[in-house]
Amino acid sequence: MKNEEMMRRDLAHIWHPCTQMKDHETLPLIPVKSARGVWLEDFEGNRYIDGISSWWVNLFGHAHPYITQKLAEQAATLEHVLLAGFTHEPAVRLAERLCDLAPGNLNRLFFADNGSSAVEIALKMSFHAHRNEGRDRPLFLSLTNSYHGETIGALSVGDVSLYKETYEPILIRSIQTPVPEDATEEAAERAAVALEEILRQRGEEISALIVEPLVQCAGYMHMYHPRYLTLAKRLCESYGIHFIADEIAVGFGRTGTMFACEQAGVTPDFLCLSKGLTGGYMPLAVVLTHDEIYAKFYCDYLEFKAFLHSHSYTGNPLGCACANATLDLFERERTIEANRAKSAEMARLLEPFNALPNVREVRQRGMIAAVELTGYDPARRVNLEIFRRCLKGGVFIRPLGHVLYFMPPYVIDEEEMRQLVGTAYEAVKALA
Ligand code: PMP
C-alpha cells in the first residue's frame, strides 16, 4: 500500500505540527501526492475536498495554472536575493499594490516570511516606535480567546491556553481585555467599556492593542461585530496606543471584504498579512504601517533608532511573484463580488444544521462558516470522530475541538460545496 509506505517513512523522522505524535499509532496520516482546485489526492487515488484551504492559505485552488506559471517564470529569472541593500521588481510591485489596496494611509511595508514573524515585527516596531520617542511601554494588550501565532512574542499576546499555558514562564508581558461575547452590537459596546477601563488604569504601560478583526479563527471561529473595532481604534488613539490588526487569517477576502477592518471603517497602525497573500503557494508575510511610525525610525545611523529586524528570506521573489499573481486573479475574476454569491450559497447549505439537537450555533462571516456543537465532554475528542467520518465521504475538515468549520478555497463550485457541507452534516447528524 503506497499510502502506508509513505506514512511509515514519514513517521520514522518527521515531527508534525500541532500534533500529539502518539495519535498516529491509530490515526492514519494522509499522504498527499498531488492537488488541483479544491481536491487533494493521495497515493492510492482517493480524493478529498480541502475544506479548510490547507490551514486557510489557499484562495484560488491548488496548482492554479496562472500562479504556477508566474512562479516558474520567476524561478527562472531571480529565485532570491537578500533585501538589505538590494531590491527587485516583484517586491516593489507587490509593495505598491498592497499599499494601494490597504485601508487609509498605510503606505510603508516591511516583509517577513510567515505570520508569526509578522506579528513579532508589529509588536517590536510598536514598542520601538514608543521607545524612539523616549517612552518605555513594555506591555501589550490583546483580546481574550485570541491567537496570533506560536513564536514567543506572538504566543504571549495570544490567549488560547492549549498553546500558551506551558510556556507562561518564558513569555513577554501581555494582558487581555474581553472580546465581545457574541456578534451583537451590544456585546461590542460592552467590550469597549471594559477596554476603556483597562486603558484608564494601565494605558501608559501599553505599547499596542493587537486584535484579529471580526473573526478569532483559531479561537474556535468566534465572531464579533465591526463596531468593536471602530470603538477600540478610537480608544487606542485617545490613549496614544498603537492598534495592530492581525489579518493573517481574515485578510484577502475571507470575511467578505478585501480586509476585515474595512467593515469597521478602521485604518490600523499596523496591518499584518500572510497566509492567502501568496494564494497558498509560498511562505510570505508583510506588515504595513504609515508614515508617522516610519518617521520615528528615520534618522542618522548613529542615533541608533533604525529597525534592524531581518530574516534571510525577507521579501523572497518567488513569494512576491505568487502574491502578485494572486492579486492579478482578484482583479481579473472580481473575487470579492463573486464570493458574495458563494457565501450566500454556503449560508443556505448550512441551514439544516440549526435543526440538529447537538448543534449550539451556526455562524458565518463571508467565506468562513462554523458549526458549534454542544453536549460533548472534551475527553471524547469529537473533532476526531467528525474528521474521520468526513474523510470517508471525501471531505477534509479539521474541527477545532467541538467547533467544525468551513473555509474552502474560493474556487469551490456549487456541487463541491454541497458535498463539503452535506458530508459534514451527515457526520454531525450521526453523532446526535
Ligand atoms: N495570526 C493569526 C490570526 C493566525 O490565524 C495565524 C496562523 N493560524 C498566525 C497569526 C500565525 O501565522 P503562521 O502560522 O504563518 O506563523
Side-chain angles (χ1 to χ4, degrees):
M1 299 276 271
K2 286 190 180 160
N3 280 347
E4 239 166 62
E5 154 80 0
M6 197 53 63
M7 176 167 149
R8 189 185 54 72
R9 285 171 55 197
D10 173 292
L11 292 177
H13 301 290
I14 300 180
W15 193 341
H16 287 259
C18 207
T19 300
Q20 169 48 261
M21 291 303 294
K22 191 166 189 290
D23 278 356
H24 286 308
E25 288 182 9
T26 53
L27 184 71
L29 274 173
I30 309 167
V32 175
K33 184 177 178 201
S34 63
R36 194 155 197 95
V38 300
W39 294 95
L40 305 171
E41 186 167 333
D42 71 13
F43 283 73
E44 292 164 13
N46 301 305
R47 283 164 27 105
Y48 309 97
I49 294 179
D50 184 354
I52 64 160
S53 298
S54 288
W55 262 346
W56 326 335
V57 299
N58 194 292
L59 302 185
F60 293 103
H62 295 274
H64 191 286
Y66 181 71
I67 306 178
T68 303
Q69 178 204 330
K70 291 293 173 187
L71 173 59
E73 283 170 13
Q74 187 57 48
T77 310
L78 172 67
E79 85 300 336
H80 187 64
V81 65
L82 73 166
L83 204 64
F86 288 79
T87 193
H88 52 84
E89 208 257 343
V92 172
R93 188 148 170 266
L94 180 60
E96 287 169 350
R97 295 173 89 181
L98 288 174
C99 289
D100 201 34
L101 276 172
N105 59 349
L106 297 171
N107 68 337
R108 300 282 170 184
L109 182 148
F110 198 96
F111 279 105
D113 50 20
N114 66 77
S116 301
S117 294
V119 169
E120 300 284 343
I121 287 163
L123 298 176
K124 283 177 69 179
M125 237 183 219
S126 167
F127 174 79
H128 198 158
H130 287 295
R131 174 163 269 209
N132 279 351
E133 296 215 306
R135 288 187 305 265
D136 256 359
R137 292 178 167 226
L139 197 58
F140 293 98
L141 183 57
S142 63
L143 300 185
T144 51
N145 190 51
S146 56
Y147 177 96
H148 296 288
E150 292 176 50
T151 52
I152 296 295
L155 192 62
S156 304
V157 290
D159 187 42
V160 179
S161 61
L162 176 66
Y163 307 118
K164 183 171 178 179
E165 209 167 79
T166 309
Y167 305 102
E168 280 295 350
I170 55 170
L171 298 181
I172 64 168
R173 295 173 56 196
S174 87
I175 51 173
Q176 279 67 51
T177 181
V179 68
E181 67 260 30
D182 56 41
T184 61
E185 203 163 342
E186 298 72 54
E189 307 258 353
R190 277 195 302 276
V193 171
L195 170 62
E196 181 157 28
E197 187 51 35
I198 290 181
L199 294 184
R200 213 182 352 248
Q201 285 174 21
R202 305 198 64 177
E204 297 209 336
E205 298 167 67
I206 298 169
S207 274
L209 167 68
I210 179 165
V211 301
E212 294 158 90
L214 302 185
V215 187
Q216 293 183 312
C217 294
Y220 305 94
M221 297 294 158
H222 181 72
M223 301 182 185
Y224 63 89
H225 197 279
R227 174 98 180 124
Y228 181 72
L229 297 173
T230 314
L231 295 173
K233 174 65 169 63
R234 216 176 280 158
L235 284 168
C236 284
E237 266 166 32
S238 61
Y239 283 85
I241 287 164
H242 301 138
F243 185 91
I244 304 174
D246 173 354
E247 295 220 16
I248 288 161
V250 297
F252 298 102
R254 275 286 165 202
T255 66
T257 44
M258 194 60 170
F259 302 111
C261 280
E262 290 170 32
Q263 293 178 45
V266 156
T267 302
D269 297 296
F270 300 96
L271 175 64
C272 302
L273 303 171
S274 187
K275 291 195 185 270
L277 171 62
T278 63
Y281 266 65
M282 296 286 294
L284 186 72
V286 295
V287 180
L288 284 96
T289 188
H290 48 69
D291 275 339
E292 207 186 306
I293 297 284
Y294 184 77
K296 296 187 202 300
F297 294 83
Y298 198 85
C299 59
D300 290 329
Y301 185 81
L302 290 178
E303 285 183 53
F304 297 115
K305 287 184 172 181
F307 189 64
L308 298 179
H309 187 105
S310 53
H311 297 288
S312 313
Y313 281 94
T314 292
N316 172 255
L318 302 177
C320 292
C322 293
N324 277 313
T326 299
L327 294 182
D328 291 345
L329 292 175
F330 267 102
E331 285 169 18
R332 220 164 66 186
E333 303 187 358
R334 301 180 156 274
T335 307
I336 302 292
E337 284 111 283
N339 279 356
R340 283 197 199 115
K342 290 215 168 150
S343 57
E345 172 65 5
M346 180 128 76
R348 204 183 57 70
L349 290 167
L350 286 165
E351 270 167 28
F353 279 102
N354 287 302
L356 293 177
N358 54 345
V359 169
R360 195 183 87 82
E361 188 183 52
V362 177
R363 45 185 183 264
Q364 183 185 4
R365 191 169 291 270
M367 292 296 281
I368 307 174
V371 178
E372 182 171 339
L373 305 184
T374 185
Y376 294 100
D377 181 342
R380 175 162 165 193
R381 302 184 77 189
V382 68
N383 52 337
L384 286 185
E385 291 180 50
I386 291 170
F387 165 77
R388 284 178 198 269
R389 282 175 189 273
C390 286
L391 268 194
K392 285 202 184 107
V395 159
F396 162 56
I397 55 170
R398 200 170 190 277
L400 294 153
H402 63 299
V403 176
L404 62 123
Y405 68 90
F406 309 105
M407 236 205 248
Y410 302 157
V411 291
I412 192 164
D413 69 21
E414 250 184 78
E415 181 54 38
E416 292 161 341
M417 187 117 75
R418 253 200 306 279
Q419 181 176 343
L420 170 65
V421 181
T423 304
Y425 173 80
E426 291 305 325
V428 173
K429 192 170 149 201
L431 295 181

